[in-house]
Amino acid sequence: EIDNLTQLVNELLELSRIESGKVPLSFHRIQPHDLLAPAFERMTLQAERAGLDMNLDCQAELPAVFADPNRITQVMINLIHNAVKFTPPGGKITISAYQDSQNIVFFVKDTGVGIPRKDLGRIFERFYKTDRARTSGGTGLGLSIARHMIESHGGYIWVESEEEVGSTFYFSLPIA
């Protein structure tokens, strides 16, 4: 329980700093693949332990974005962690990006339990958890932190999901 409380306090402090604009961001011009690779590498072992097939499929020739690599890695780790947590063994997670007009759209797609339609509009709110998520721990702050971080980069985050089919979390960042 101490670990859970520590995580809650740390995430509350992080969210408070983000919302107040007091998070220092170090923007760099960076290729989309180079934003995705660190999170993929860090989460590969966790996915393997959960019996999941996880792959990174990102075209090398995508235009660069202007982002804080550490913060975007934090967002990606959060999205991948959720995908691992809510995908049963034997499932698949795909991490990728594509160009859409003047943005690069990043995504994490899973073959997990999905999110009920009634919850989709609230999933990025602080402390909001779907009924299934309540039994698996977590603070209910990760997606809210991700939303604020992506918005601080001039981007947008959203989800598409179908119960028992899976979820895809997307976020866009402007091309540099």
Side-chain angles (χ1 to χ4, degrees):
E1 289 304 311
I2 289 174
D3 290 341
N4 290 336
L5 284 173
T6 300
Q7 181 182 358
L8 177 62
V9 169
N10 288 336
E11 288 184 0
L12 279 170
L13 288 170
E14 178 75 3
L15 185 57
S16 175
R17 283 192 294 266
I18 293 168
E19 288 179 340
S20 68
K22 294 183 179 172
V23 172
L25 297 174
S26 179
F27 287 91
H28 303 282
R29 184 180 168 87
I30 187 165
Q31 293 302 123
H33 182 274
D34 296 338
L35 276 177
L36 296 176
F40 173 78
E41 290 166 9
R42 184 164 162 192
M43 296 301 292
T44 296
L45 185 57
Q46 188 175 346
E48 287 173 1
R49 284 183 182 153
L52 304 173
D53 176 28
M54 184 169 77
N55 56 64
L56 172 60
D57 180 23
C58 184
Q59 299 172 358
E61 63 273 359
L62 288 173
V65 295
F66 200 57
D68 181 327
N70 292 329
R71 297 300 180 167
I72 298 303
T73 296
Q74 177 186 7
V75 169
M76 286 302 302
I77 286 172
N78 179 285
L79 297 178
I80 296 167
H81 180 265
N82 285 347
V84 169
K85 185 162 60 169
F86 295 109
T87 302
K92 184 175 181 175
I93 298 171
T94 302
I95 299 148
S96 190
Y98 62 89
Q99 183 174 353
D100 180 31
S101 186
Q102 294 302 305
N103 294 298
I104 300 296
V105 177
F106 299 83
F107 68 87
V108 175
K109 178 182 176 111
D110 67 55
T111 59
V113 297
I115 301 164
R117 184 176 302 278
K118 68 179 180 56
D119 295 318
L120 288 175
R122 300 190 61 200
I123 201 81
F124 294 100
E125 293 177 13
R126 271 182 269 170
F127 300 112
Y128 192 81
K129 296 181 181 184
T130 65
D131 289 336
R132 281 194 178 97
R134 286 191 184 104
T135 61
S136 62
T139 63
L141 291 171
L143 290 176
S144 182
I145 290 170
R147 179 182 55 123
H148 285 287
M149 192 53 61
I150 295 303
E151 289 173 354
S152 73
H153 279 71
Y156 180 71
I157 189 168
W158 70 98
V159 62
E160 293 175 0
S161 186
E162 185 178 340
E163 286 186 271
E164 306 307 325
V165 174
S167 301
T168 305
F169 282 83
Y170 300 89
F171 64 88
S172 64
L173 294 177
I175 293 173

